[in-house]
């Protein structure tokens, strides 16, 4: 997808002909919105949803005064972004709790959406909150699905109720009874993946629902889903009245436009996101981040937020000053590495940078074990050497190599890298991109 | 049931929507800019990439204008032709024994199920087949593969959960060499293409096969879920970059999803579609036929 110009580039092009500032005219909006629509479609937002969205936004945009601080492109993106965020709803969707325990949570979705894995994640999340969840295995169709749930349950230390390949409706019912009897406060019912057009299996879900009256019915949707997301969400919602949505596999490089589609068509909140294969990889949903992701502007917000918590304000100020004075030293380099680590590793940080997902991390991939090596090298330098690497001659290099258990080549490589970083910072400073 | 009847049946839902949209389009519009814009959108709403949709429409438009054609039927035939050309841009895959098929893809696309069906297909064609459970990560993945292995009546080579997948591959290769098995199919763990460490793991398996079994024809097949959107492009591009790809298997075509992205993929990345999955039963797999696929979309 790298061949596509970004939305802001395209909009810049449209507005480049616009010489005088003022209000956005209907014609400009129309041209700009065509590009917004393409951006949404490229992000997998459903065609109809995209059209509706564009209509609403256009109405709001026409005649709006361009804020002094913004150019027309930024103004349009701002309006679009705000509308997207509004449409995707709140970030704080909590799980409902039944007035009388147990709270019953029923999972549903297409095959391969990630229901079973998410059941495990949810169980772990609930356990951390001091709850006692019971997992109920109602996927009696997929080979070894029950075994998978049992393994997942064991990993998080949650009991799994299963009755082999029996009748899923009965298993669900007995599972809830089991929970009542043995004091489980939450029941998570894993169901088989099914196509929304599979009449028999959809009816089975309705039967399960009727039998166990769940407090939550969560529709699990793969974030990579295409145009079809609308039909899937609509059918599941119409037949089951789902209470919330779960987005999985958000740790990939999908733009995730399906989110907007399923949100628009069901009106139900996105309650959680799956962000990795480990059972702890579950996050709340942030509509603002999702909006910039769909528009292809990267998850800049997350990055900034993470950076803020990793580097203290004081450190940041110092760093900024040093960058201004171009006095960035190896000592600062060390601080930076530690901060990066706190931010969840370099790969995480890179993956959130706009465009980094597209350019594929292979190019920018940094081996984290190499970072340890780098830190060892810097720690083996004298303070004077750290401040002024130019004095590091051959004999100093030999000493540092011995001290850090590395080779002179390693040290040369590091010094070269450091020089490059310095250069890069110089450029970033000029671009005003770097705002720690 | 004829060879392609199941595919046709599966595509009926696909065709319903695409064909219905086109009929609606043709009844509404004259051949003009708006018509072509709408046509482009119809293609995009089948998950064809924006770039490919633009290309196809541009090509049709130019030809129609060049030939001074105002006939809608003719425009449809041009569209069919263009889609067919895209789908056949890559050389079709021919599997020659002894063969190793490594099946890759992101999580939840249906790799294990597809391998069960493929094994069965090959057995029916009188090949000897072994499958290797190199997905040692997902809970119970090897048990799932074993069930399919039993159904197809093929041998399954597996290790414990958490074992090194390359070790499974190594053992499987040794075993098929000793037994002179025709085809080895390797099931790999689902991995998102952006995860560098997991892609490294895959490259290692790739190296093991190349090193230990150079005389075999080694094919790498990616499984794509028909309900996926534009991300399919990134998936194929990344796996192709890292281990090379010889073919695409498109699964879950029994749903309403169109899998239109394959039109972009074949054209832009030159990887052919070789099989399609049309259901959960062991026989629900077919050799891909571009002409049938395109015809199915319009009938």
């Amino acid at each position: 997808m790298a061949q596509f110009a970004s939305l802001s580039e395209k909009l810049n092009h449209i507005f480049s002909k616009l010489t005088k500032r003022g209000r956005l005219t209907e014609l400009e909006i129309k041209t700009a919105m065509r590009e917004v629509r393409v951006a949404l479609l490229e992000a997998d937002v459903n065609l109809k949803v995209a059209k509706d969205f564009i209509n609403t936004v256009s109405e709001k945009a026409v005649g709006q005064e361009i804020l002094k601080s913004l150019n027309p492109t930024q103004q349009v993106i701002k309006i679009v972004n705000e509308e997207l965020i509004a449409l995707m709803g709140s970030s704080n969707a909590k799980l409902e709790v039944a007035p009388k325990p147990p709270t019953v949570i029923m999972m549903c979705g297409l095959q391969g959406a990630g229901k079973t894995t998410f059941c495990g994640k949810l169980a772990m999340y609930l356990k951390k909150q001091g709850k006692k969840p019971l997992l109920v295995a109602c996927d009696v169709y997929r080979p070894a699905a029950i075994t998978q749930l049992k393994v997942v349950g064991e990993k998080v230390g949650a009991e799994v109720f299963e009755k082999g390949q029996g009748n899923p409706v009965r298993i669900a019912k007995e599972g809830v009874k089991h929970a009542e009897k043995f004091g489980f406060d939450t029941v998570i019912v894993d169901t088989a993946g099914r196509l929304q057009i599979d009449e028999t299996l959809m009816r089975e879900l309705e039967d399960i629902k009727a039998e166990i009256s769940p407090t939550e019915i969560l529709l699990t949707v793969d974030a990579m889903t295409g145009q079809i997301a609308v039909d899937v969400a609509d059918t599941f919602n119409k037949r089951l009245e789902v209470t919330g949505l779960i987005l999985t596999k958000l740790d990939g490089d999908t733009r995730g436009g399906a989110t907007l589609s399923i949100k628009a068509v069901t009106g139900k909140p996105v309650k959680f996101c799956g962000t990795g294969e480990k059972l702890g990889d579950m996050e709340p949903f942030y509509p603002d981040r999702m909006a910039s992701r769909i528009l292809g502007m990267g998850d800049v917000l997350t990055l900034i937020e993470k950076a803020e918590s990793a580097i203290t304000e004081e450190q940041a100020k110092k760093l900024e000053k040093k960058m201004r004075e171009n006095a960035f030293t190896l000592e600062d380099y060390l601080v930076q590495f530690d901060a990066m680590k706190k931010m969840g590793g370099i790969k995480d940080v890179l993956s959130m940078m706009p465009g980094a997902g597209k350019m594929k991390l292979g190019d920018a991939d940094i081996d984290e074990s190499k970072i340890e090596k780098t830190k060892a090298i810097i720690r083996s330098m004298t303070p004077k050497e750290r401040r002024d690497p130019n004095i590091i001659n051959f004999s100093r290099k030999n000493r540092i190599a011995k001290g850090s258990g590395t080779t002179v080549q390693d040290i040369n490589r590091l010094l070269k890298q450091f020089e490059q970083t310095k250069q890069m910072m110089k450029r970033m400073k000029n671009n005003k991109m770097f705002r720690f | 049931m004829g060879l392609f009847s199941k595919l046709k049946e599966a595509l009926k839902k696909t065709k319903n929507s695409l064909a219905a949209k086109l009929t609606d389009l043709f009844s509404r519009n004259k051949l003009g800019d708006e018509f072509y814009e709408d046509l482009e959108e119809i293609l995009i709403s089948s998950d064809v990439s924006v770039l490919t949709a633009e290309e196809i429409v541009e090509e049709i438009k130019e030809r129609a204008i060049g030939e001074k054609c105002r006939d809608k039927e003719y425009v449809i035939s041009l569209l069919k032709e263009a889609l067919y050309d895209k789908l056949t841009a890559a050389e079709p895959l021919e599997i020659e024994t002894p063969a190793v098929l490594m099946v890759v893809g992101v999580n939840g696309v249906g790799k294990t199920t597809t391998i069960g069906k493929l094994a069965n297909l090959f057995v029916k064609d009188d090949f000897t087949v072994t499958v290797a459970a190199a997905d040692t990560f997902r809970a119970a993945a090897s048990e799932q593969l074993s069930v399919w292995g039993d159904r197809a009546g093929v041998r399954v080579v597996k290790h414990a959960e958490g074992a090194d997948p390359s070790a499974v591959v190594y053992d499987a290769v040794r075993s098929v060499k000793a037994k002179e098995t025709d085809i080895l199919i390797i099931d790999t763990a689902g991995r998102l293409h952006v995860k560098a460490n997991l892609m490294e793991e895959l490259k290692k398996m790739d190296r093991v096969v190349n090193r230990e079994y150079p005389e075999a024809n080694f094919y790498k097949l990616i499984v794509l879920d028909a309900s996926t959107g534009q991300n399919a492009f990134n998936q194929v591009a990344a796996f192709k970059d890292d281990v090379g790809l010889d073919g695409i298997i498109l699964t879950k075509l029994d749903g309403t999803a169109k899998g239109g992205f394959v039109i972009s993929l074949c054209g832009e990345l030159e990887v052919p579609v070789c099989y399609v999955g049309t259901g959960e039963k062991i026989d629900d797999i077919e050799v891909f036929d571009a002409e049938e696929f395109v015809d199915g979309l319009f009938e």
Side-chain angles (χ1 to χ4, degrees):
Chain A
M1 286 211 167
Q3 61 265 55
F4 300 126
S6 77
L7 177 61
S8 49
E9 278 167 42
K10 283 180 181 170
L11 292 181
N12 276 333
H13 182 72
I14 292 172
F15 290 122
S16 63
K17 294 172 196 108
L18 198 83
T19 41
K20 67 174 194 285
R21 303 172 69 98
R23 286 170 199 281
L24 295 170
T25 69
E26 207 160 329
L27 185 68
E28 284 152 21
I29 293 292
K30 211 184 154 200
T31 333
M33 285 306 161
R34 179 145 179 94
E35 293 302 336
V36 173
R37 184 159 68 179
V38 171
L40 294 177
L41 292 175
E42 277 173 351
D44 291 324
V45 175
N46 178 273
L47 181 61
K48 199 182 162 303
V49 174
K51 278 185 170 173
D52 287 352
F53 177 78
I54 294 295
N55 286 341
T56 322
V57 177
S58 300
E59 273 170 33
K60 290 200 176 171
V62 172
Q64 259 202 30
E65 205 171 325
I66 298 170
L67 297 174
K68 278 209 176 68
S69 54
L70 300 177
N71 64 34
T73 300
Q74 289 166 330
Q75 178 83 11
V76 169
I77 288 178
K78 181 175 170 285
I79 299 168
V80 172
N81 195 41
E82 281 169 2
E83 281 302 310
L84 272 180
I85 293 171
L87 219 148
M88 281 186 292
S90 78
S91 62
N92 204 7
K94 287 213 169 61
L95 286 173
E96 293 295 323
V97 178
K100 180 176 162 285
T103 300
V104 178
I105 302 171
M106 174 175 158
M107 305 297 302
C108 60
L110 296 181
Q111 292 96 335
K115 286 174 297 302
T116 308
T117 304
F118 191 81
C119 283
K121 290 182 180 182
L122 194 57
M124 185 164 157
Y125 169 84
L126 291 167
K127 282 201 73 163
K128 270 190 188 158
Q129 295 190 331
K131 295 244 162 61
K132 194 181 170 196
L134 174 72
L135 291 160
V136 179
C138 290
D139 180 357
V140 299
Y141 306 104
R142 181 162 58 94
I146 298 170
T147 320
Q148 187 184 351
L149 191 68
K150 276 162 82 175
V151 174
V152 166
E154 203 173 300
K155 276 184 190 155
V156 301
E159 192 179 314
V160 177
F161 181 88
E162 57 112 345
K163 285 274 160 179
Q165 324 283 92
N167 175 348
V169 183
R170 203 162 51 227
I171 296 170
K173 193 178 160 189
E174 284 173 20
V176 175
K177 273 206 182 120
H178 181 88
E180 283 164 358
K181 196 171 164 193
F182 294 97
F184 291 89
D185 50 30
T186 317
V187 183
I188 305 169
V189 181
D190 186 23
T191 64
R194 63 202 74 212
L195 292 166
Q196 82 281 10
I197 49 167
D198 188 326
E199 187 49 40
T200 318
L201 287 182
M202 289 305 284
R203 200 171 301 142
E204 177 194 282
L205 282 183
E206 287 171 337
D207 291 346
I208 294 177
K209 181 189 169 185
E211 201 63 65
I212 61 176
S213 321
T215 312
E216 291 273 14
I217 301 174
L218 303 177
L219 175 65
T220 311
V221 181
D222 184 329
M224 294 179 277
T225 310
Q227 296 285 323
I228 207 69
V230 160
D231 298 352
V232 174
D234 192 39
T235 312
F236 272 96
N237 189 42
K238 279 199 177 121
R239 302 199 63 155
L240 297 167
E241 289 167 64
V242 303
T243 58
L245 308 165
I246 306 293
L247 273 182
T248 59
K249 306 180 207 172
L250 262 177
D251 46 332
D253 60 353
T254 176
R255 300 253 301 269
T259 317
L260 188 67
S261 307
I262 59 177
K263 180 71 211 186
V265 78
T266 64
K268 300 294 161 61
V270 180
K271 299 222 166 180
F272 294 103
C273 300
T275 54
E277 297 196 40
K278 288 192 288 295
L279 289 166
D281 295 334
M282 178 170 120
E283 281 180 15
F285 174 67
Y286 299 105
D288 45 352
R289 294 176 195 174
M290 200 65 222
S292 64
R293 185 170 181 159
I294 290 175
L295 287 175
M297 298 194 287
D299 216 345
V300 190
L301 275 166
T302 312
L303 180 64
I304 291 172
E305 199 175 87
K306 279 200 172 179
E308 274 170 358
S309 61
I311 298 187
T312 65
E313 192 129 346
E314 200 182 339
Q315 275 174 337
K317 265 187 194 153
K318 261 196 210 158
L319 201 61
E320 210 184 287
K321 188 163 172 260
K322 283 192 168 147
M323 275 177 56
R324 256 201 320 273
E325 295 160 359
N326 211 7
F328 184 69
T329 69
L330 279 162
E331 265 170 349
D332 304 315
Y333 208 41
L334 199 62
V335 173
Q336 250 205 335
F337 275 131
D338 282 333
M340 283 271 196
K341 202 146 195 204
K342 273 190 234 161
M343 282 156 78
I346 285 181
K347 263 175 267 166
D348 267 16
V349 176
L350 281 176
S351 70
M352 283 181 279
M353 300 271 278
K358 287 181 212 156
M359 75 187 183
K360 215 169 94 53
L361 292 178
D363 306 323
D365 202 13
I366 297 164
D367 188 347
E368 302 210 5
S369 69
K370 277 192 195 134
I371 292 176
E372 284 309 313
K373 206 188 226 177
T374 305
K375 281 165 70 177
I377 294 174
I378 298 177
R379 287 204 183 105
S380 301
M381 293 177 182
T382 64
K384 202 176 163 195
E385 285 166 346
R386 291 184 204 176
R387 278 192 297 272
D388 183 14
N390 290 327
I391 65 166
I392 303 177
N393 57 19
F394 184 68
S395 101
R396 281 176 192 264
K397 278 177 194 168
N398 265 324
R399 193 203 75 241
I400 298 166
K402 268 188 200 140
S404 56
T406 58
T407 65
V408 173
Q409 284 78 32
D410 287 328
I411 294 163
N412 284 336
R413 213 171 294 137
L414 165 67
L415 291 175
K416 205 170 156 192
Q417 241 176 45
F418 171 70
E419 200 42 52
Q420 281 167 352
T421 308
K422 241 175 125 171
Q423 292 302 321
M424 198 170 80
M425 288 199 151
K426 222 171 164 179
R427 264 180 281 138
M428 277 182 157
K429 185 183 65 174
N430 297 336
N431 277 345
K432 289 184 188 165
M433 268 173 69
F434 197 76
R435 272 196 281 151
F436 276 167
Chain B
M1 221 178 227
L3 184 56
F4 296 108
S5 50
K6 230 182 297 174
L7 174 63
K8 265 186 196 163
E9 200 182 299
L11 280 172
K12 219 183 253 169
K13 297 135 195 165
T14 312
K15 132 189 137 189
N16 274 347
S17 51
L18 185 64
K21 280 180 195 161
L22 285 172
T23 315
D24 176 53
L25 172 66
F26 285 126
S27 63
R28 235 171 348 103
N29 277 331
K30 284 201 185 117
L31 289 175
D33 279 348
E34 204 170 325
F35 169 86
Y36 287 110
E37 266 175 34
D38 286 354
L39 185 59
E40 194 181 309
E41 277 178 357
I42 288 172
L43 289 174
I44 293 170
S45 69
S46 313
D47 295 312
V48 175
S49 81
V50 175
L51 193 73
T52 302
E54 276 173 5
E55 260 175 39
I56 291 175
V57 170
E58 206 46 51
E59 183 193 322
I60 295 170
K61 195 174 162 183
E62 250 171 53
R63 285 184 64 180
I65 292 171
E67 298 179 35
K68 296 204 170 70
C69 162
R70 312 286 299 169
D71 179 23
K72 288 170 183 172
E73 285 298 318
Y74 184 63
V75 172
I76 290 195
S77 73
L78 288 179
L79 178 59
K80 271 189 181 179
E81 222 177 284
L83 294 176
Y84 180 80
D85 285 350
K86 293 275 180 200
L87 283 169
T88 50
E91 279 290 307
L93 175 70
E94 273 180 46
I95 294 170
E96 282 177 48
T97 56
V100 177
L101 273 60
M102 185 159 82
V103 179
V104 302
V106 301
N107 318 63
V109 289
K111 283 178 294 302
T112 308
T113 307
T114 301
I115 288 167
K117 295 179 191 172
L118 273 180
N120 186 57
L121 196 67
F122 294 143
V123 166
K124 281 207 298 200
D125 282 343
D126 287 330
F127 290 109
T128 50
V129 182
T130 291
V131 294
D135 178 357
T136 55
F137 181 81
R138 182 165 58 93
S142 72
E143 281 87 343
Q144 187 184 348
L145 190 65
S146 296
V147 173
W148 281 108
D150 288 347
R151 286 180 188 170
V154 303
R155 226 156 43 83
V156 181
V157 176
K158 59 179 173 179
H159 286 192
E161 199 185 310
D164 178 2
S166 292
V168 181
V169 171
Y170 180 85
D171 279 0
V173 166
R174 296 283 295 243
S175 155
V176 297
K177 277 169 82 174
K179 293 192 159 66
E180 293 182 352
T181 307
D182 298 324
I183 302 172
L184 167 66
I185 313 176
I186 302 169
D187 187 17
T188 64
R191 67 199 74 223
L192 289 173
H193 47 289
V194 295
K195 309 238 158 162
N197 56 337
L198 294 179
M199 293 309 270
E200 281 304 321
E201 181 189 271
L202 198 63
K203 284 188 210 165
K204 191 173 161 198
M205 288 186 249
D206 183 38
R207 286 195 295 272
V208 169
V209 174
N210 281 318
R211 191 183 63 219
E212 298 299 324
Y213 202 7
E215 64 272 33
N217 301 298
F218 189 14
Y219 308 97
K220 281 147 250 174
L221 306 176
I222 188 168
V223 178
L224 300 172
D225 182 332
S227 66
T228 308
Q230 308 287 342
N231 194 250
F233 189 97
N234 298 24
Q235 292 170 22
V236 173
F239 278 98
K240 192 185 172 195
D241 258 14
D242 281 343
V243 291
L245 287 176
D246 302 285
I248 293 166
I249 302 173
L250 187 60
T251 60
K252 309 187 195 175
L253 260 185
D254 46 329
T256 50
K258 303 157 183 67
F261 53 77
V262 293
I263 292 162
S264 332
L265 287 175
C266 298
E268 291 172 42
L269 294 172
E270 294 185 353
V271 185
V273 184
C274 43
Y275 293 100
V276 293
T278 52
E280 290 187 316
K281 289 190 292 298
I282 199 157
D283 290 323
D284 294 336
I285 187 163
E286 280 177 45
V287 174
F288 177 77
D289 182 299
E291 211 167 326
E292 292 282 340
F293 190 87
V294 174
D295 281 347
L297 291 172
F298 289 89
E299 258 169 30

